[in-house]
Amino acid sequence: MEAYNGVSVPAGGQAIEVRDGKFIVPDHPILPFIEGDGVGPDIWRASRTVFDAAVREAYGGQRRVVWYEVFAGENAFGRFKEWLPQGTLDAIQRFHIAIKGPLTTPVGGGIRSLNVALRQLLNLYVCLRPVRYFPGVPSPVKHPERLDVVIFRENTEDVYAGIEWQQGTPAAKRVIDFLNQTMGKNIREDSGIGIKPISVTGSKRLIRRAIQYALDNGRKNVTLVHKGNIMKFTEGAFRDWGYELVKEEFSEVCVTEAEAGTKPGKVIVKDRIADSMFQQVLLRPDEYDVIATPNLNGDYLSDACAAQIGGLGMAPGANLGDEHGVFEATHGTAPKYAGQDVINPSSVILSGSLMFRFMGWKEASDLIERGITEAIRQKRVTYDLHRQMEGAVKLKTSEYAQAIISNMNGKEAVHG
Ligand code: NAP
């Protein structure tokens, strides 16, 4: 019997397959899940109940997820003395789509971040972050509903490639000597050094996914966000390669901002300098649909946008490659709330909704989003939203999951 990490794959399910870049999803797909550390078990229990209810409600037993637990983080370390066992990677590789809760970042121990390791090992080159508002969620801006963007952040390159040398080490000295003596630079001897690689391959495959997403989902524009006025050969090149890609592959369906109005096109491709983009999402949010950006800009921008619609507790995320997708919470393990059944599970629940949409299970995804929208509209929320919403009812994590489920088909009478 097939097993990973010594745990048998449950009977009754089939593996998702990928053929010619298309995900072929059977009616009973095996989906590996990583429960996550800290509040992970609380969140997973609630999320799984919501997922199963949505699938049941949408497909009446014809479709069903066969969940399969795989291990990473503290849970894996406790069992196998490894933070990210090979069996977990093999299982995700085999079944193609997985979902995970938050993981503790090990301090010391050779792995910088489990999330970064997963992305690099499975070549998950897109970090996808849709950011939209759910009416009633407390927000620091006057019109949070005007922001509805889908961010495609490059996930494998840039300063995240991990190429850096600590100040004062012989390696740092060698790099500095090379740059000063051979390349005519003038770097201070007491510097630490980091390298920012951005490639044609990495940029074009990311921007291609962003444009394709806009076309598939009826979005009107794609904005390339970069700091190319300063970093010409990395960030500036990212922008240039984006426009080059439009000419090479999308000239029939896309126009640039300069061409808009003179030539028909389903999607407008434009670019903005990163610092101005942070103003734009606050001041003119409705002018942006899909955003494609290098790693570091994307990291900052997705958290800033999430704050605008009510915080990380509500923001879903996914890491996608050509053949794999790992859907995940965007917040951390919030260890002080572990085991208390109080944390907001919306980030994982919405990541699951995103996963179902990606699998083509649109009906289940719609039900989950309707359930969340209604529960929040009725002000039946967890502590984090409760403390900022007047007249709200404070629910436990598990009760909030039930509130979502009972609202899925709009059957629930409006609550007190
Ligand atoms: P955190 O776990 O995100 O928690 C910080 C605070 O954010 C919490 O105390 C809580 O605020 C609020 N919060 C987070 N998630 C929430 C949720 N679902 N519902 C309601 N409130 C929520 O950040 P951290 O304490 O800096 O990190 C803890 C561990 O998580 C670290 O090991 C870190 O490396 C790791 N981490 C993992 C991921 C990931 O796996 N994707 C991401 C980030 C961090 P209040 O106390 O105000 O209620």
Side-chain angles (χ1 to χ4, degrees), residues 21-47:
K22 295 240 169 335
F23 288 74
I24 318 287
V25 180
D27 279 344
H28 297 162
I30 296 164
L31 293 183
F33 69 91
I34 296 168
E35 196 173 54
D37 299 325
V39 289
D42 288 348
I43 291 182
W44 179 251
R45 218 173 296 119
S47 303

Side-chain angles (χ1 to χ4, degrees), residues 102-105 115 329 331-334 336-337 343-344 383-384 387:
L103 295 175
T104 306
T105 303
N115 295 310
H331 55 75
T333 59
K336 66 180 173 185
Y337 297 116
I343 203 81
N344 185 352
Y383 84 91
D384 52 316
R387 69 186 166 193

Side-chain angles (χ1 to χ4, degrees), residues 200-211:
V200 179
T201 308
S203 303
K204 284 193 176 173
R205 68 181 180 178
L206 174 90
I207 298 167
R208 185 181 293 116
R209 289 288 281 259
I211 295 177

Side-chain angles (χ1 to χ4, degrees), residues 238-312:
F238 175 88
R239 171 203 55 213
D240 295 345
W241 294 326
Y243 285 127
E244 197 173 279
L245 182 81
V246 170
K247 272 204 197 122
E248 288 165 352
E249 297 181 19
F250 295 100
S251 62
E252 302 286 301
V253 281
C254 293
V255 289
T256 62
E257 202 169 19
E259 293 166 337
T262 63
K263 197 181 144 191
K266 290 195 189 110
V267 169
I268 296 174
V269 179
K270 51 190 178 181
D271 74 279
R272 295 288 180 271
I273 292 180
D275 41 299
S276 113
M277 191 64 186
F278 279 85
Q279 297 186 7
Q280 295 281 301
V281 290
L282 283 166
L283 301 175
R284 309 165 79 141
D286 34 19
E287 293 180 14
Y288 298 93
D289 267 338
V290 175
I291 292 169
T293 188
N295 209 334
L296 183 61
N297 300 334
D299 194 358
Y300 295 156
L301 194 59
S302 38
D303 278 17
C305 288
Q308 218 167 303
I309 55 102
L312 283 181

Side-chain angles (χ1 to χ4, degrees), residues 312-356:
L312 283 181
M314 295 300 299
N319 296 293
L320 306 174
D322 288 329
E323 302 210 336
H324 299 95
V326 178
F327 294 76
E328 65 171 3
T330 51
H331 55 75
T333 59
K336 66 180 173 185
Y337 297 116
Q340 294 178 29
D341 194 26
V342 295
I343 203 81
N344 185 352
S346 297
S347 177
V348 170
I349 293 178
L350 289 169
S351 298
S353 166
L354 191 62
M355 176 179 76
F356 287 139

